[in-house]
Amino acid sequence: MKTLPMPTHHVRFAGGLYLIIILCGVGSEVALRGPLIDFGSAQETAGAIGEQMLRFRLSIVADIVMALADAALAVLLFWLFRPVSAGLALGALVFRLLQSGLIAAGLLNLQAAVIILQSGEVADSADLAMTFIGLHAYGYDLGLIFFAVNCLLMTVLILRSGFVPRLLGLGIGFSGLVYLTGSVVRFVVPDMH
C-alpha cells in the first residue's frame, strides 16, 4: 500500500469532519426535525413545530454545521486525491461543493416554514409551511444527486490510489448508486417516496 500524500493530521481532520457530517446530518433529521414532521398532516406538523420551535431551529443549525464541514472535507479530499488524478479530484470537489451548497440553500425553505408559522398572518399557514418543508426535502435529494456523482468519482480515485482500502472505495461507489437511485426516483416517481 502506498503512503498518504498528505500529513496524517490532515487525514485525521478529514475523519473528524466525516464524524461531524454524520452526527449533524443524522441528528438533525432523525433526532431533531424528523419526529416533528408528519407529511400526512400539515396541522399536526405545524403544531409540533410550534410547540418545539427551538428543536426545529436547532435542526437547521445542525444542517448548517454539516454543510460547512462537508465543504471543508471536499477541499481536504481534493488535496488528498489530487496526486492520483487532478482532473477526477477536481470533479469530485466540484460535485461535493454543489451538493453542500444545494443542501445549505434548501435550509432557506425550512426557515421560510418557521417565518410563516410564527407570523400567524397567512390563512393556511400550516399548508404553506408544509409546502416549504416538502421543498426542502426535494432540495436535499437534488443535492444528493450531486453527492452521488461525487461518490462515483471518489470510488475511481480510491481504487486508483493504492493508499485507501479498495473495499472502502467499493462501498462508497455502492452508496453513490443508492443515493442516485433514491434521489432520481423522488423526481421521476414522487409517489414512491
Side-chain angles (χ1 to χ4, degrees):
M1 190 165 275
K2 296 178 188 175
T3 59
L4 294 170
M6 177 182 276
T8 307
H9 66 278
H10 285 100
V11 175
R12 285 190 181 124
F13 185 60
L17 290 171
Y18 263 120
L19 186 59
I20 290 168
I21 292 164
I22 292 166
L23 291 176
C24 287
V26 172
S28 70
E29 186 59 36
V30 175
L32 295 171
R33 184 172 51 247
L36 303 176
I37 298 172
D38 177 358
F39 282 103
S41 174
Q43 294 300 324
E44 285 186 32
T45 298
I49 292 171
E51 290 172 9
Q52 300 205 29
M53 186 59 74
L54 179 60
R55 179 178 176 175
F56 193 79
R57 287 178 184 269
L58 286 175
S59 77
I60 296 171
V61 171
D63 277 338
I64 291 169
V65 171
M66 178 190 68
L68 289 169
D70 214 348
L73 180 62
V75 173
L76 275 173
L77 290 175
F78 168 74
W79 284 106
L80 180 63
F81 287 98
R82 187 175 63 161
V84 176
S85 171
L88 285 175
L90 180 62
L93 169 74
V94 168
F95 280 100
R96 190 164 193 129
L97 288 175
L98 283 167
Q99 171 255 331
S100 182
L102 283 167
I103 287 175
L107 295 173
L108 291 171
N109 288 309
L110 294 179
Q111 187 61 34
V114 166
I115 292 167
I116 289 164
L117 291 173
Q118 287 189 322
S119 75
E121 297 173 5
V122 180
D124 294 326
S125 61
D127 290 331
L128 186 56
M130 189 56 112
T131 298
F132 279 105
I133 291 169
L135 284 172
H136 168 261
Y138 274 99
Y140 204 95
D141 273 336
L142 180 60
L144 289 178
I145 291 171
F146 288 90
F147 181 64
V149 174
N150 166 269
C151 287
L152 297 174
L153 292 172
M154 289 303 301
T155 297
V156 174
L157 287 164
I158 289 170
L159 294 177
R160 288 184 183 177
S161 74
F163 54 80
V164 177
R166 294 176 65 79
L167 187 59
L168 181 61
L170 294 173
I172 289 172
F174 178 73
S175 68
L177 293 174
V178 170
Y179 283 125
L180 185 62
T181 302
S183 296
V184 167
V185 164
R186 178 179 281 278
F187 286 98
V188 177
V189 193
D191 294 336
M192 287 183 66
H193 267 265

